[in-house]
Amino acid sequence: MSDGVNGDRQGAGAGTGGTGSTDTAKRASRAAAALWAATVAVLLLALPWVAHGRLPDPLATHWDGRAADGSMSLTASAAFPAACWAVALAAAAVARRWAGAPARTWVGAGLGFGGVLLVGAQAAIVHANLDRPDWQHARPLGPEVAAVLAAAVAAGLLGPWLAHRGGRGPRPATAADGPRLDLPAGQRAVWLSRTVNPWLGLLAAASGLGAAGSALAALGGLGGPAWALFAPCAVVAVTAAGCSSVQARVTERGLDVTFGPFGWPARHWSPADVAAARMERRTPAQVGGWGYRLSGLGTTVMLRRGECLVVRPHRGVEFAVSVDDAERGAALLNTVAARRAG
């Protein structure tokens, strides 16, 4: 639902600028991606061969618990992860060509995670076999596995951030360039719009029942298995409930966006924080799915396809929320921001 504002909208064309700097950023992003791809490939191939004089052949490549139970030749141990990396690069190239800019987040995350995981695993395998008479006597793997996984997750989170830096195109320069309302001096207005996604609400309810049921089962004596089910159900219930509805409100104080049935969590932008606002039509495919999404377009709260209120802050990435009557909300927000700036 939406509660409109009074006043006539004054249309103004959205200005564009910074095309040269955007192209430069894209070229830098592509160069960084190519350097990362080449570095990972070289490390995967070089690590076993640099230490080949101190390694058995074949060498242990698989462990059952703490004991090695599988092996590969020195050549295969270098070629196999390199081939996996080549397949990952090909899949990333296809994804970017097929989905374009919206795939940038997933490509960056996948290549960051996969590259560090493969190199870390290769380094751990080489270290476990180093100076061993044969592969059956390879060192057990323990803390190395946790360290490699932690580093891979960190790289997966860093990849999208680097992709965002090179992936944003021209945007409106200031609030004055976007739609505005012609409000008389001294007059105040309020714009309010709310969107509900019933499917996410249903998922939250079902997951909440699952969490409650598993907790009761655990308290009833089932113990470990029930508690293991409780945690994922509870996380899904809380996350889905928080993304099941969203409310956006524009006042003289700026923009407030609240989530879920209890209006929490919430985000606030003061008029001084807003560079420009606009209406833009987006789909889940563009932003990577439903709910609270991070993509090359910035942050999007996607509860239904169609018009979104898009806010460009002075600092940070753009924020979009899928609500009705978004153009009028953007017009009022631009008006408030322009008044404060003036």
Side-chain angles (χ1 to χ4, degrees):
M1 70 176 184
S2 62
D3 182 11
V5 294
N6 296 324
D8 296 326
R9 279 172 293 187
Q10 292 182 335
T16 60
T19 303
S21 60
T22 299
D23 292 341
T24 301
K26 287 183 177 180
R27 287 194 295 269
S29 178
R30 293 191 189 100
L35 179 62
W36 173 248
T39 300
V40 171
V42 169
L43 289 174
L44 291 174
L45 293 169
L47 280 171
W49 288 104
V50 168
H52 74 278
R54 300 173 58 186
L55 295 174
D57 191 2
L59 65 160
T61 55
H62 190 272
W63 281 257
D64 180 14
R66 296 180 61 83
D69 66 345
S71 64
M72 284 186 180
S73 68
L74 186 65
T75 301
S77 67
F80 180 73
C84 291
W85 182 238
V87 171
L89 292 176
V94 171
R96 286 196 60 146
R97 184 174 183 82
W98 176 69
R104 190 175 290 112
T105 297
W106 307 109
V107 170
L111 293 183
F113 177 86
V116 172
L117 183 66
L118 286 172
V119 171
Q122 187 76 301
I125 288 172
V126 170
H127 179 263
N129 286 273
L130 206 61
D131 298 324
R132 296 295 174 175
D134 53 62
W135 69 268
Q136 290 95 339
H137 292 85
R139 297 179 182 88
L141 293 181
E144 300 94 337
V145 176
V148 169
L149 287 176
V153 170
L157 296 175
L158 181 63
W161 179 79
L162 293 175
H164 294 338
R165 289 181 61 86
R168 291 190 293 272
R171 298 181 295 184
T174 66
D177 293 317
R180 289 206 291 170
L181 292 177
D182 185 12
L183 292 179
Q187 180 177 337
R188 295 184 178 183
V190 175
W191 173 86
L192 178 69
S193 187
R194 185 169 183 262
T195 300
V196 177
N197 186 308
W199 295 107
L200 289 175
L202 182 62
L203 175 62
S207 302
L209 289 174
S214 58
L216 290 175
L219 294 174
L222 291 183
W227 284 122
L229 182 63
F230 170 79
C233 285
V235 170
V236 171
V238 172
T239 303
C243 294
S244 63
S245 63
V246 63
Q247 178 175 284
R249 183 178 63 174
V250 177
T251 66
E252 291 294 316
R253 295 182 59 252
L255 171 66
D256 291 282
V257 177
T258 58
F259 301 88
F262 304 108
W264 188 88
R267 294 194 63 177
H268 172 74
W269 290 263
S270 70
D273 296 330
V274 177
R278 68 184 186 277
M279 187 278 287
E280 184 177 301
R281 297 187 180 277
R282 294 185 179 181
T283 66
Q286 287 179 299
V287 300
W290 301 93
Y292 198 96
R293 314 304 299 182
L294 302 176
S295 70
L297 298 175
T299 301
T300 304
V301 181
M302 177 56 64
L303 299 191
R304 57 106 181 94
R305 68 181 68 244
E307 60 180 299
C308 296
L309 171 61
V310 183
V311 180
R312 178 197 172 194
H314 288 290
R315 295 182 180 180
V317 299
E318 289 188 343
F319 179 90
V321 55
S322 54
V323 290
D324 295 331
D325 198 31
E327 186 172 359
R328 188 150 42 173
L332 179 57
L333 187 56
N334 285 330
T335 301
V336 172
R339 280 181 174 180
R340 292 293 179 92

